[in-house]
Amino acid sequence: MNKLYFLQLLILPLLIIKSAIVIPTFLAVAEPADNNDEMIPKQIVERLLRLNRIDYYRGGRSQLLLGKLPDKLPVEIPQPSNTQILASIQRGESYYEMVLNVPQGSAQVESFYENQLTQKGWKQHRSTSPKQAFATSATQKDDLNFCKSEKGPALRLNLNQPAQDTPTEVSISLDANESNSFCRFLSGGLPFAFAKTPTLKPPANTKVIPKPIGGYSSEMSHSKATLESDELNLEQLNQHYISQMQQAGWTKMADTKNNQTTFSLWTLKDKDNNIWQGMMSIKPIPNKSGQYLSNLIVMQEKF
């Protein structure tokens, strides 16, 4: 009998070249810990993993490995000292996913992988994924993307440290299939970039639950999230996120508020002299104390 320990396994987003939309999926998986509660049988978890049909596209069946990496990874992936390997998934012969806990801050972990991978011949590239504005923690990092060559392998890392005194959660996806590699697009540059979406970190003791993607393109993004806070009211949350917008380089053009909602207008001129407009709103969710719906729409200004 084992206690259930839930992990989030990040499944490498499918790059849809035509529309350049990346669709991540998450799954809660049981990890054995002590001898108190029941553990979900491994074969059930593997069948659940296959429900999302990733195996169909990858040409193989998923194999779940608890507490270790796959035996024969095609490339060496460095690990910081005292890293805890939580689980791995091997999909077919060339696609791997790994979940680690690292007892260091997210900034330190990011620096470690950038230095180590660069020294081993990997080249870092900007993310090809659309970005959700409302981060789930104050230390959350954007994805790190690396390629060995234009033919791959391709390596993606997602770092998230839930709190300052907790380990950094590292999710790693490795695609060694040369025919499916998106490294040729990264190396040559995508024909467009996603909209200039800021990263907005939450205040202390506030839970952020991102909503499904509202829409992304090279000219527009729509981020939505539920904020849960028993300590901050509407005005305090609004002031926090106004500060976050300003720290990201945006200029507030106007704002209005009442007991039901806050609304602000923003503008940004990026390094390529493109002008962006932003519209942010936060409002209480009816009949749900301490819960608020946040929205941020970013659009490129056209002349």
Side-chain angles (χ1 to χ4, degrees), residues 15-20 126 128 182 184-194 217-219:
L15 180 65
I16 303 176
I17 299 173
K18 182 176 180 181
S19 58
R126 62 181 175 85
T128 58
F182 58 84
R184 58 186 180 275
F185 299 100
L186 290 171
S187 300
L190 289 173
F192 59 87
F194 284 104
S217 71
S218 60
E219 300 177 358

Side-chain angles (χ1 to χ4, degrees), residues 12 21 26 28 58 92 174 211 266:
L12 180 67
I21 297 176
F26 297 87
R58 295 294 172 181
L174 172 65
K211 296 288 187 180
W266 299 83

Side-chain angles (χ1 to χ4, degrees), residues 94 149-154 175-184:
S94 60
S149 71
E150 291 188 0
K151 293 184 177 180
D175 188 349
N177 189 336
E178 293 185 0
S179 62
N180 292 334
S181 174
F182 58 84
C183 286
R184 58 186 180 275

Side-chain angles (χ1 to χ4, degrees), residues 123-292:
K123 294 183 179 180
Q124 187 173 1
H125 300 279
R126 62 181 175 85
S127 176
T128 58
S129 303
K131 184 168 65 174
Q132 163 72 250
F134 298 99
T136 57
S137 75
T139 53
Q140 185 173 328
K141 297 287 186 180
D142 295 333
D143 286 353
L144 304 176
N145 295 278
F146 297 88
C147 291
K148 271 284 192 179
S149 71
E150 291 188 0
K151 293 184 177 180
L155 191 65
R156 173 171 293 165
L157 299 93
N158 178 270
L159 312 181
N160 183 45
Q161 186 181 13
Q164 293 291 345
D165 57 349
T166 61
T168 297
E169 302 168 349
V170 181
S171 299
I172 302 176
S173 301
L174 172 65
D175 188 349
N177 189 336
E178 293 185 0
S179 62
N180 292 334
S181 174
F182 58 84
C183 286
R184 58 186 180 275
F185 299 100
L186 290 171
S187 300
L190 289 173
F192 59 87
F194 284 104
K196 187 71 174 181
T197 306
T199 297
L200 306 179
K201 306 294 182 67
N205 302 317
T206 298
K207 183 179 181 181
V208 180
I209 306 172
K211 296 288 187 180
I213 291 176
Y216 288 88
S217 71
S218 60
E219 300 177 358
M220 186 276 292
S221 72
H222 183 190
S223 300
K224 300 182 291 183
T226 296
L227 310 177
E228 295 184 359
S229 178
D230 294 326
E231 299 183 6
L232 302 180
N233 57 31
L234 175 61
E235 175 59 17
Q236 291 170 321
L237 286 171
N238 182 52
Q239 288 302 318
H240 171 85
Y241 281 104
I242 283 178
S243 175
Q244 288 289 296
M245 289 289 290
Q246 292 170 335
Q247 290 180 32
W250 289 74
T251 300
K252 182 161 63 74
M253 305 300 293
D255 70 285
T256 183
K257 54 182 176 293
N258 54 39
N259 292 334
Q260 300 301 318
T261 189
T262 64
F263 182 81
S264 53
L265 295 175
W266 299 83
T267 186
L268 172 74
K269 185 176 182 179
D270 65 22
K271 63 181 181 180
D272 297 318
N273 293 321
N274 297 311
I275 305 297
W276 297 88
Q277 296 178 340
M279 294 173 286
M280 184 173 66
S281 66
I282 304 175
K283 62 181 181 180
I285 298 177
N287 303 319
K288 292 187 177 181
S289 177
Q291 295 190 25
Y292 304 84

Side-chain angles (χ1 to χ4, degrees), residues 30-63:
E31 161 74 8
D34 54 32
N35 296 319
N36 295 327
D37 303 314
E38 293 185 359
M39 182 181 75
I40 301 175
K42 179 179 176 181
Q43 61 268 31
I44 294 179
V45 177
E46 291 181 339
R47 289 185 64 180
L48 289 172
L49 285 168
R50 292 197 291 272
L51 287 178
N52 60 24
R53 299 183 63 80
I54 296 291
D55 288 326
Y56 172 81
Y57 297 101
R58 295 294 172 181
R61 295 170 66 89
S62 294
Q63 180 183 7

Side-chain angles (χ1 to χ4, degrees), residues 69-81:
L69 298 178
D71 292 331
K72 296 182 180 180
L73 284 173
V75 295
E76 178 187 356
I77 299 178
Q79 299 173 32
S81 59

